[in-house]
PDB file of all heavy atoms in Angstrom:
ATOM      1  N   VAL A   1      21.824 -14.933 -17.334  1.00 98.00           N
ATOM      2  CA  VAL A   1      21.181 -13.886 -16.521  1.00 98.00           C
ATOM      3  C   VAL A   1      19.865 -13.525 -17.214  1.00 98.00           C
ATOM      4  O   VAL A   1      19.865 -13.154 -18.380  1.00 98.00           O
ATOM      5  CB  VAL A   1      22.077 -12.651 -16.354  1.00 98.00           C
ATOM      6  CG1 VAL A   1      21.384 -11.592 -15.528  1.00 98.00           C
ATOM      7  CG2 VAL A   1      23.408 -13.041 -15.714  1.00 98.00           C
ATOM      8  N   CYS A   2      18.790 -13.685 -16.507  1.00 98.00           N
ATOM      9  CA  CYS A   2      17.461 -13.401 -17.006  1.00 98.00           C
ATOM     10  C   CYS A   2      17.001 -12.048 -16.513  1.00 98.00           C
ATOM     11  O   CYS A   2      17.237 -11.673 -15.371  1.00 98.00           O
ATOM     12  CB  CYS A   2      16.482 -14.488 -16.557  1.00 98.00           C
ATOM     13  SG  CYS A   2      16.965 -16.160 -17.038  1.00 98.00           S
ATOM     14  N   VAL A   3      16.333 -11.327 -17.403  1.00 98.00           N
ATOM     15  CA  VAL A   3      15.869  -9.963 -17.119  1.00 98.00           C
ATOM     16  C   VAL A   3      14.433  -9.804 -17.545  1.00 98.00           C
ATOM     17  O   VAL A   3      14.042 -10.306 -18.595  1.00 98.00           O
ATOM     18  CB  VAL A   3      16.716  -8.915 -17.870  1.00 98.00           C
ATOM     19  CG1 VAL A   3      16.282  -7.493 -17.522  1.00 98.00           C
ATOM     20  CG2 VAL A   3      18.202  -9.074 -17.648  1.00 98.00           C
ATOM     21  N   ARG A   4      13.655  -9.103 -16.712  1.00 98.00           N
ATOM     22  CA  ARG A   4      12.327  -8.659 -17.110  1.00 98.00           C
ATOM     23  C   ARG A   4      11.996  -7.367 -16.392  1.00 98.00           C
ATOM     24  O   ARG A   4      12.564  -7.071 -15.338  1.00 98.00           O
ATOM     25  CB  ARG A   4      11.285  -9.724 -16.826  1.00 98.00           C
ATOM     26  CG  ARG A   4      10.998  -9.989 -15.363  1.00 98.00           C
ATOM     27  CD  ARG A   4       9.931 -11.089 -15.198  1.00 98.00           C
ATOM     28  NE  ARG A   4       9.766 -11.413 -13.798  1.00 98.00           N
ATOM     29  CZ  ARG A   4       8.954 -10.766 -12.959  1.00 98.00           C
ATOM     30  NH1 ARG A   4       8.219  -9.764 -13.379  1.00 98.00           N
ATOM     31  NH2 ARG A   4       8.865 -11.146 -11.695  1.00 98.00           N
ATOM     32  N   VAL A   5      11.110  -6.591 -16.986  1.00 98.00           N
ATOM     33  CA  VAL A   5      10.585  -5.429 -16.283  1.00 98.00           C
ATOM     34  C   VAL A   5       9.374  -5.911 -15.464  1.00 98.00           C
ATOM     35  O   VAL A   5       8.429  -6.446 -15.988  1.00 98.00           O
ATOM     36  CB  VAL A   5      10.169  -4.325 -17.281  1.00 98.00           C
ATOM     37  CG1 VAL A   5       9.464  -3.190 -16.547  1.00 98.00           C
ATOM     38  CG2 VAL A   5      11.403  -3.792 -18.015  1.00 98.00           C
ATOM     39  N   ALA A   6       9.503  -5.728 -14.158  1.00 97.00           N
ATOM     40  CA  ALA A   6       8.458  -6.173 -13.243  1.00 97.00           C
ATOM     41  C   ALA A   6       7.385  -5.112 -13.033  1.00 97.00           C
ATOM     42  O   ALA A   6       6.230  -5.454 -12.763  1.00 97.00           O
ATOM     43  CB  ALA A   6       9.069  -6.571 -11.912  1.00 97.00           C
ATOM     44  N   ARG A   7       7.789  -3.846 -13.168  1.00 97.00           N
ATOM     45  CA  ARG A   7       6.818  -2.756 -12.918  1.00 97.00           C
ATOM     46  C   ARG A   7       7.364  -1.483 -13.571  1.00 97.00           C
ATOM     47  O   ARG A   7       8.578  -1.235 -13.613  1.00 97.00           O
ATOM     48  CB  ARG A   7       6.687  -2.530 -11.421  1.00 97.00           C
ATOM     49  CG  ARG A   7       5.772  -1.432 -11.025  1.00 97.00           C
ATOM     50  CD  ARG A   7       5.736  -1.244  -9.484  1.00 97.00           C
ATOM     51  NE  ARG A   7       4.957  -0.070  -9.143  1.00 97.00           N
ATOM     52  CZ  ARG A   7       5.422   1.163  -9.187  1.00 97.00           C
ATOM     53  NH1 ARG A   7       6.629   1.445  -9.536  1.00 97.00           N
ATOM     54  NH2 ARG A   7       4.620   2.184  -8.850  1.00 97.00           N
ATOM     55  N   ILE A   8       6.433  -0.676 -14.065  1.00 97.00           N
ATOM     56  CA  ILE A   8       6.766   0.655 -14.538  1.00 97.00           C
ATOM     57  C   ILE A   8       5.913   1.633 -13.769  1.00 97.00           C
ATOM     58  O   ILE A   8       4.680   1.553 -13.778  1.00 97.00           O
ATOM     59  CB  ILE A   8       6.539   0.854 -16.055  1.00 97.00           C
ATOM     60  CG1 ILE A   8       7.312  -0.172 -16.850  1.00 97.00           C
ATOM     61  CG2 ILE A   8       6.933   2.266 -16.473  1.00 97.00           C
ATOM     62  CD1 ILE A   8       7.036  -0.120 -18.348  1.00 97.00           C
ATOM     63  N   GLY A   9       6.555   2.558 -13.050  1.00 97.00           N
ATOM     64  CA  GLY A   9       5.836   3.617 -12.359  1.00 97.00           C
ATOM     65  C   GLY A   9       5.789   4.859 -13.211  1.00 97.00           C
ATOM     66  O   GLY A   9       6.089   4.824 -14.404  1.00 97.00           O
ATOM     67  N   ARG A  10       5.446   5.976 -12.624  1.00 97.00           N
ATOM     68  CA  ARG A  10       5.443   7.233 -13.399  1.00 97.00           C
ATOM     69  C   ARG A  10       6.827   7.540 -13.940  1.00 97.00           C
ATOM     70  O   ARG A  10       6.990   7.792 -15.130  1.00 97.00           O
ATOM     71  CB  ARG A  10       4.959   8.394 -12.532  1.00 97.00           C
ATOM     72  CG  ARG A  10       4.876   9.708 -13.333  1.00 97.00           C
ATOM     73  CD  ARG A  10       4.743  10.934 -12.430  1.00 97.00           C
ATOM     74  NE  ARG A  10       5.986  11.351 -11.798  1.00 97.00           N
ATOM     75  CZ  ARG A  10       6.972  12.033 -12.407  1.00 97.00           C
ATOM     76  NH1 ARG A  10       6.883  12.364 -13.662  1.00 97.00           N
ATOM     77  NH2 ARG A  10       8.052  12.354 -11.737  1.00 97.00           N
ATOM     78  N   SER A  11       7.845   7.474 -13.060  1.00 98.00           N
ATOM     79  CA  SER A  11       9.205   7.792 -13.483  1.00 98.00           C
ATOM     80  C   SER A  11      10.185   6.646 -13.297  1.00 98.00           C
ATOM     81  O   SER A  11      11.362   6.775 -13.629  1.00 98.00           O
ATOM     82  CB  SER A  11       9.691   9.008 -12.709  1.00 98.00           C
ATOM     83  OG  SER A  11       9.762   8.746 -11.326  1.00 98.00           O
ATOM     84  N   SER A  12       9.713   5.520 -12.761  1.00 98.00           N
ATOM     85  CA  SER A  12      10.617   4.431 -12.458  1.00 98.00           C
ATOM     86  C   SER A  12      10.347   3.153 -13.236  1.00 98.00           C
ATOM     87  O   SER A  12       9.224   2.923 -13.682  1.00 98.00           O
ATOM     88  CB  SER A  12      10.550   4.107 -10.953  1.00 98.00           C
ATOM     89  OG  SER A  12       9.266   3.645 -10.618  1.00 98.00           O
ATOM     90  N   ILE A  13      11.414   2.397 -13.376  1.00 98.00           N
ATOM     91  CA  ILE A  13      11.335   1.058 -13.977  1.00 98.00           C
ATOM     92  C   ILE A  13      11.990   0.103 -12.997  1.00 98.00           C
ATOM     93  O   ILE A  13      13.125   0.287 -12.596  1.00 98.00           O
ATOM     94  CB  ILE A  13      12.064   1.003 -15.323  1.00 98.00           C
ATOM     95  CG1 ILE A  13      11.379   1.918 -16.352  1.00 98.00           C
ATOM     96  CG2 ILE A  13      12.134  -0.451 -15.851  1.00 98.00           C
ATOM     97  CD1 ILE A  13      12.072   1.962 -17.700  1.00 98.00           C
ATOM     98  N   ASN A  14      11.220  -0.926 -12.585  1.00 98.00           N
ATOM     99  CA  ASN A  14      11.749  -1.953 -11.701  1.00 98.00           C
ATOM    100  C   ASN A  14      12.105  -3.189 -12.546  1.00 98.00           C
ATOM    101  O   ASN A  14      11.224  -3.744 -13.173  1.00 98.00           O
ATOM    102  CB  ASN A  14      10.704  -2.371 -10.653  1.00 98.00           C
ATOM    103  CG  ASN A  14      10.370  -1.254  -9.699  1.00 98.00           C
ATOM    104  OD1 ASN A  14      10.103  -0.139 -10.127  1.00 98.00           O
ATOM    105  ND2 ASN A  14      10.321  -1.547  -8.425  1.00 98.00           N
ATOM    106  N   LEU A  15      13.342  -3.566 -12.516  1.00 98.00           N
ATOM    107  CA  LEU A  15      13.835  -4.697 -13.262  1.00 98.00           C
ATOM    108  C   LEU A  15      14.058  -5.871 -12.320  1.00 98.00           C
ATOM    109  O   LEU A  15      14.675  -5.721 -11.261  1.00 98.00           O
ATOM    110  CB  LEU A  15      15.144  -4.354 -13.955  1.00 98.00           C
ATOM    111  CG  LEU A  15      14.995  -3.248 -15.032  1.00 98.00           C
ATOM    112  CD1 LEU A  15      16.146  -2.288 -14.937  1.00 98.00           C
ATOM    113  CD2 LEU A  15      14.898  -3.861 -16.389  1.00 98.00           C
ATOM    114  N   ALA A  16      13.539  -7.014 -12.666  1.00 98.00           N
ATOM    115  CA  ALA A  16      13.744  -8.265 -11.923  1.00 98.00           C
ATOM    116  C   ALA A  16      14.763  -9.078 -12.658  1.00 98.00           C
ATOM    117  O   ALA A  16      14.749  -9.158 -13.875  1.00 98.00           O
ATOM    118  CB  ALA A  16      12.430  -9.032 -11.776  1.00 98.00           C
ATOM    119  N   LEU A  17      15.696  -9.699 -11.914  1.00 98.00           N
ATOM    120  CA  LEU A  17      16.771 -10.476 -12.510  1.00 98.00           C
ATOM    121  C   LEU A  17      16.906 -11.804 -11.788  1.00 98.00           C
ATOM    122  O   LEU A  17      16.572 -11.929 -10.605  1.00 98.00           O
ATOM    123  CB  LEU A  17      18.079  -9.701 -12.430  1.00 98.00           C
ATOM    124  CG  LEU A  17      18.048  -8.344 -13.134  1.00 98.00           C
ATOM    125  CD1 LEU A  17      18.072  -7.226 -12.156  1.00 98.00           C
ATOM    126  CD2 LEU A  17      19.156  -8.244 -14.123  1.00 98.00           C
ATOM    127  N   ALA A  18      17.414 -12.773 -12.527  1.00 98.00           N
ATOM    128  CA  ALA A  18      17.703 -14.077 -11.928  1.00 98.00           C
ATOM    129  C   ALA A  18      18.861 -14.683 -12.694  1.00 98.00           C
ATOM    130  O   ALA A  18      18.988 -14.528 -13.924  1.00 98.00           O
ATOM    131  CB  ALA A  18      16.490 -15.011 -12.007  1.00 98.00           C
ATOM    132  N   ILE A  19      19.728 -15.362 -11.989  1.00 98.00           N
ATOM    133  CA  ILE A  19      20.857 -16.057 -12.607  1.00 98.00           C
ATOM    134  C   ILE A  19      20.650 -17.554 -12.420  1.00 98.00           C
ATOM    135  O   ILE A  19      20.419 -18.037 -11.296  1.00 98.00           O
ATOM    136  CB  ILE A  19      22.210 -15.644 -11.990  1.00 98.00           C
ATOM    137  CG1 ILE A  19      22.438 -14.136 -12.163  1.00 98.00           C
ATOM    138  CG2 ILE A  19      23.351 -16.438 -12.634  1.00 98.00           C
ATOM    139  CD1 ILE A  19      23.702 -13.609 -11.495  1.00 98.00           C
ATOM    140  N   PHE A  20      20.727 -18.275 -13.523  1.00 98.00           N
ATOM    141  CA  PHE A  20      20.567 -19.726 -13.544  1.00 98.00           C
ATOM    142  C   PHE A  20      21.797 -20.355 -14.157  1.00 98.00           C
ATOM    143  O   PHE A  20      22.457 -19.741 -15.013  1.00 98.00           O
ATOM    144  CB  PHE A  20      19.378 -20.122 -14.407  1.00 98.00           C
ATOM    145  CG  PHE A  20      18.048 -19.666 -13.872  1.00 98.00           C
ATOM    146  CD1 PHE A  20      17.482 -18.469 -14.268  1.00 98.00           C
ATOM    147  CD2 PHE A  20      17.316 -20.472 -12.992  1.00 98.00           C
ATOM    148  CE1 PHE A  20      16.258 -18.051 -13.790  1.00 98.00           C
ATOM    149  CE2 PHE A  20      16.078 -20.076 -12.520  1.00 98.00           C
ATOM    150  CZ  PHE A  20      15.549 -18.835 -12.913  1.00 98.00           C
ATOM    151  N   ALA A  21      22.071 -21.602 -13.785  1.00 98.00           N
ATOM    152  CA  ALA A  21      23.035 -22.387 -14.553  1.00 98.00           C
ATOM    153  C   ALA A  21      22.464 -22.516 -15.943  1.00 98.00           C
ATOM    154  O   ALA A  21      21.235 -22.608 -16.130  1.00 98.00           O
ATOM    155  CB  ALA A  21      23.235 -23.756 -13.912  1.00 98.00           C
ATOM    156  N   LYS A  22      23.293 -22.508 -16.940  1.00 97.00           N
ATOM    157  CA  LYS A  22      22.855 -22.487 -18.342  1.00 97.00           C
ATOM    158  C   LYS A  22      21.849 -23.615 -18.611  1.00 97.00           C
ATOM    159  O   LYS A  22      22.094 -24.787 -18.321  1.00 97.00           O
ATOM    160  CB  LYS A  22      24.048 -22.647 -19.269  1.00 97.00           C
ATOM    161  CG  LYS A  22      23.664 -22.581 -20.728  1.00 97.00           C
ATOM    162  CD  LYS A  22      24.874 -22.721 -21.644  1.00 97.00           C
ATOM    163  CE  LYS A  22      24.443 -22.643 -23.078  1.00 97.00           C
ATOM    164  NZ  LYS A  22      25.597 -22.831 -23.958  1.00 97.00           N
ATOM    165  N   GLY A  23      20.724 -23.219 -19.206  1.00 93.00           N
ATOM    166  CA  GLY A  23      19.716 -24.179 -19.687  1.00 93.00           C
ATOM    167  C   GLY A  23      19.017 -24.955 -18.591  1.00 93.00           C
ATOM    168  O   GLY A  23      18.390 -25.968 -18.894  1.00 93.00           O
ATOM    169  N   SER A  24      19.034 -24.479 -17.350  1.00 96.00           N
ATOM    170  CA  SER A  24      18.422 -25.222 -16.287  1.00 96.00           C
ATOM    171  C   SER A  24      17.610 -24.347 -15.341  1.00 96.00           C
ATOM    172  O   SER A  24      17.605 -23.120 -15.467  1.00 96.00           O
ATOM    173  CB  SER A  24      19.472 -25.979 -15.476  1.00 96.00           C
ATOM    174  OG  SER A  24      20.087 -25.111 -14.536  1.00 96.00           O
ATOM    175  N   GLU A  25      16.927 -24.966 -14.376  1.00 96.00           N
ATOM    176  CA  GLU A  25      16.189 -24.246 -13.354  1.00 96.00           C
ATOM    177  C   GLU A  25      17.047 -24.087 -12.108  1.00 96.00           C
ATOM    178  O   GLU A  25      16.510 -23.703 -11.037  1.00 96.00           O
ATOM    179  CB  GLU A  25      14.925 -25.047 -12.989  1.00 96.00           C
ATOM    180  CG  GLU A  25      13.870 -25.048 -14.095  1.00 96.00           C
ATOM    181  CD  GLU A  25      13.173 -23.727 -14.266  1.00 96.00           C
ATOM    182  OE1 GLU A  25      13.104 -22.921 -13.317  1.00 96.00           O
ATOM    183  OE2 GLU A  25      12.714 -23.429 -15.399  1.00 96.00           O
ATOM    184  N   ASP A  26      18.333 -24.363 -12.184  1.00 98.00           N
ATOM    185  CA  ASP A  26      19.251 -24.261 -11.065  1.00 98.00           C
ATOM    186  C   ASP A  26      19.517 -22.782 -10.753  1.00 98.00           C
ATOM    187  O   ASP A  26      20.423 -22.170 -11.306  1.00 98.00           O
ATOM    188  CB  ASP A  26      20.546 -25.002 -11.415  1.00 98.00           C
ATOM    189  CG  ASP A  26      21.553 -25.017 -10.283  1.00 98.00           C
ATOM    190  OD1 ASP A  26      21.221 -24.621  -9.157  1.00 98.00           O
ATOM    191  OD2 ASP A  26      22.700 -25.444 -10.552  1.00 98.00           O
TER     192      ASP A  26
END
């Protein structure tokens, strides 16, 4: 499961997530 912060607003944090098969682009 991959995580990144996509945006920070004044009071909010938007987290983007993606699930891949291990070690791949699947």
